[in-house]
Amino acid sequence: MAALRQKDQSDRGYALVSVIGVILVCGIVLALMGTMVASALGASTSTRAGVQSRGAADQGVAVVTADIDKGAAAGFPASPTSVWRCPALAGNYDNSVAPVSPTPLVPVPGPTPSTMAAPNSVYKVTVQHAGSDGVWHPGCPTALGQQVKLEATGWAQQNGIQGRSDQDSAHLEVVLGPSHGLIADGPAIFGYSTGGLAGGGSLVEVGSASPDVVIQTGNVNCSGAFYSNADLVVEGGDLAISGSCNVTGNVWASGAVSLSGGVKVSGSVVGSSITVDGSSHIDGSAWTPGAVSITGGGSYIGGSLTAGSLTLSGSGQLHGGAWIFGALQCSNWDYCVGGNVTAKTYTDPRYTGTTSSSTHGTITVTAPGVPSSPGAYGSAPSAPVVPTWIDYSSDTSVWSGFAQLDVSGAACTSASSLSTAIANKLASTAGATGVVADMLGCSSGLTIGGSDAVALNTDVVFYAHQYNLAGSGKFTSTRGSRVWLITPDDVPDHQPTPPAGCSFNIGGAFTFQSGISAFIYTPCAASIGSGIHISGQVFSGNVSVSGSASVSYTAIGLAGYDLTTGGPDTASYTGPLVTVSRRNTAG
């Protein structure tokens, strides 16, 4: 019996241990379940907070965008109106305070914070606008055409728990820009500088269009049988016209203008000084504050002249009258000036002050000095408006109504694949009026050679760092298409800044099918040669047209800009701002 009692006691000990083990296991399970529940609850509330905070930030952006659109419709008045609140708020739309409890609070009418109540959405949005210096400035936009940056913070109505506060607030940066149409304007050829206009190249007008060749900086040498049925403008240097370069329009240069080798300018000439030599001639009139020299048989100015001084030699002639602020000297025995002369001093072999001279008009010598402009022949024509360099960025959203195509894979290297991608994107985008083909990610840019053909069949804007169009390649279209060939300049410094690997070459027997107009924009050197014929415009960091190439002027325009000034295009502003970029940011 004693042995049985001892065994029973031992069994009860084992049972107690088992019970305790079960209790421990259950406790561990319950603890794990509690942790899991708490973690899930934390994750769930964090997700909820994220949805609420992002929604609040989005609502803030929507409210501010609507207010700015109303201001744009009124031309961005400096003072607030009934619909345009931004100036009154100094660009700070704030209906929030930093959350200090699980539910963020905002003030409602009342004297103390104790009367705060939870809103539907709590946000704060600050406004900046892009200045002409390429820098973001705090405050409301001041002019149509400016981009606007909104920095928004939204807070959740209910914060995350269990330490999950990472989504209690959301931070959003949105850049807005104007939607634009296209104004067909600007010069036929704009070069920040030039590698030369030579080698049989030509620029011709189409219909009643009046093209210009504009070079913004540096000296220009027009030679080698280049023919320009246009005005030629050199804003920042001298212009030398020689080698059978002929200009049928007018010439204006900030520096010296020289003609030699039998060249002709059919229009008028304005420069800091003017030299006409070697049987060259100007059919129109000329104006300069400096010296004019007309030398050699067959050299002449056909119209009148207003100048600081005039020297005629070697049978050089002025057919019209002369208004000379200084000395007029002529060494010709037969002919000097065809019209009336007013000069501070006058010298020619047959003039003694009382006898006839080699002038067909009246000579007036005003020893004390000739009155300043306008003189007998009027003031010089106003300096032409020369557009500034446009830093055209890689932002493709400015092309309102164009479907956005990110080119990749086979479409980067195969003309047929690229043609298919363009056609598919156009067909799959409701209401699209054209396609923007972004090829900035293609290592070889847009390369068309051999007998390859890229079918446009709509208006197409290409963005690429390199263009190599050669061989017997071509652009084709079943309709009249416009094509823009753009290498972006993302550095806002009003001068061309080529990206790495930038190149632009059109050569060989490459063709633009009849009916296709092209606009070329590149901050690097654009070389157009070897018989290439383009209908359109060129806007380049450095431009050369040679080798019997020709550009037939057809104004196309560039989205977002007025090409006559180089400034933002406000005339074709078409309505509400569009989103240029949108990204989440850190708080």
Side-chain angles (χ1 to χ4, degrees):
M1 293 293 294
L4 289 173
R5 285 194 299 272
Q6 188 176 22
K7 181 178 180 181
D8 181 59
Q9 292 173 352
S10 175
D11 289 342
R12 287 199 297 272
Y14 285 131
L16 180 61
V17 170
S18 298
V19 170
I20 293 172
V22 169
I23 292 173
L24 288 173
V25 169
C26 289
I28 292 171
V29 170
L30 289 173
L32 289 174
M33 289 178 63
T35 301
M36 293 172 64
V37 169
S39 177
L41 185 59
S44 176
T45 58
S46 177
T47 300
R48 179 187 62 196
V51 172
Q52 292 176 352
S53 62
R54 286 191 294 274
D58 286 337
Q59 181 175 340
V61 168
V63 168
V64 176
T65 300
D67 187 44
I68 291 176
D69 279 339
K70 293 174 182 178
F76 290 134
S79 301
T81 68
S82 59
V83 296
W84 162 239
R85 298 187 299 136
C86 188
L89 301 174
N92 294 301
Y93 298 73
D94 187 358
N95 76 335
S96 70
V97 295
V100 293
S101 67
T103 300
L105 304 174
V106 297
V108 297
T112 68
S114 63
T115 58
M116 290 178 168
N120 291 327
S121 291
V122 184
Y123 58 79
K124 178 178 181 180
V125 182
T126 59
V127 178
Q128 301 178 56
H129 64 274
S132 59
D133 55 0
V135 176
W136 291 108
H137 296 273
C140 310
T142 58
L144 295 173
Q146 288 179 335
Q147 286 193 338
V148 179
K149 182 163 71 173
L150 308 180
E151 293 182 340
T153 300
W155 284 276
Q157 299 175 51
Q158 298 163 299
N159 291 346
I161 63 174
Q162 299 295 323
R164 296 296 299 272
S165 61
D166 54 306
Q167 297 196 65
D168 292 350
S169 62
H171 306 276
L172 185 62
E173 179 187 280
V174 176
V175 176
L176 306 172
S179 55
H180 287 278
L182 276 167
I183 288 186
D185 63 1
I189 297 176
F190 174 94
Y192 188 78
S193 61
T194 179
L197 305 172
S202 64
L203 170 66
V204 298
E205 63 182 327
V206 176
S208 60
S210 179
D212 293 329
V213 177
V214 178
I215 308 299
Q216 187 173 359
T217 62
N219 300 328
V220 175
N221 181 22
C222 181
S223 62
F226 182 85
Y227 173 81
S228 174
N229 192 16
D231 294 340
L232 182 55
V233 180
V234 179
E235 185 186 42
D238 301 336
L239 171 62
I241 304 175
S242 63
S244 300
C245 172
N246 289 292
V247 180
T248 63
N250 301 311
V251 166
W252 186 94
S254 63
V257 177
S258 63
L259 286 68
S260 61
V263 299
K264 177 181 74 171
V265 173
S266 298
S268 298
V269 174
V270 177
S272 64
S273 64
I274 299 172
T275 301
V276 183
D277 191 11
S279 299
S280 300
H281 59 274
I282 299 168
D283 289 342
S285 297
W287 291 264
T288 176
V292 174
S293 173
I294 307 175
T295 306
S299 297
Y300 65 85
I301 295 176
S304 61
L305 172 67
T306 302
S309 66
L310 171 61
T311 301
L312 300 129
S313 61
S315 299
Q317 300 171 353
L318 172 64
H319 292 176
W323 188 270
I324 309 300
F325 302 113
L328 191 159
Q329 300 180 34
C330 178
S331 60
N332 301 335
W333 279 92
D334 53 348
Y335 185 94
C336 287
V337 181
N340 297 328
V341 172
T342 299
K344 185 174 182 180
T345 63
Y346 181 89
T347 304
D348 82 43
R350 293 189 293 172
Y351 179 67
T352 64
T354 58
T355 61
S356 62
S357 72
S358 52
T359 297
H360 296 174
T362 301
I363 301 172
T364 303
V365 176
T366 58
V370 175
S372 59
S373 62
Y377 306 108
S379 300
S382 299
V385 176
V386 175
T388 59
W389 174 257
I390 295 172
D391 297 304
Y392 206 71
S393 74
S394 52
D395 166 31
T396 61
S397 66
V398 297
W399 296 89
S400 302
F402 282 66
Q404 303 285 320
L405 170 64
D406 291 325
V407 180
S408 61
C412 282
T413 56
S414 166
S416 60
S417 296
L418 179 59
S419 301
T420 300
I422 292 171
N424 290 343
K425 175 57 69 172
L426 183 69
S428 63
T429 307
T433 58
V435 174
V436 174
D438 186 344
M439 302 187 71
L440 295 174
C442 299
S443 59
S444 58
L446 178 58
T447 298
I448 306 174
S451 58
D452 294 337
V454 172
L456 303 176
N457 302 329
T458 187
D459 291 339
V460 180
V461 185
F462 289 100
Y463 280 74
H465 289 145
Q466 301 175 38
Y467 291 88
N468 185 19
L469 312 179
S472 297
K474 57 188 171 183
F475 284 117
T476 66
S477 179
T478 56
R479 43 154 283 185
S481 295
R482 296 173 295 179
V483 59
W484 289 263
L485 306 176
I486 296 173
T487 297
D489 181 348
D490 286 309
V491 180
D493 56 1
H494 299 297
Q495 60 184 0
T497 308
C502 180
S503 65
F504 196 105
N505 295 288
I506 306 178
F510 190 88
T511 58
F512 294 78
Q513 181 180 295
S514 177
I516 296 177
S517 301
F519 190 102
I520 296 169
Y521 171 93
T522 176
C524 60
S527 175
I528 304 171
S530 302
I532 301 301
H533 302 285
I534 298 174
S535 173
Q537 294 173 271
V538 179
F539 202 101
S540 173
N542 184 287
V543 60
S544 58
V545 181
S546 59
S548 299
S550 69
V551 177
S552 299
Y553 178 52
T554 301
I556 300 174
L558 192 61
Y561 284 89
D562 180 351
L563 295 180
T564 60
T565 65
D569 169 13
T570 58
S572 66
Y573 178 77
T574 59
L577 299 174
V578 296
T579 300
V580 173
S581 66
R582 180 185 181 93
R583 65 188 183 97
N584 296 318
T585 59

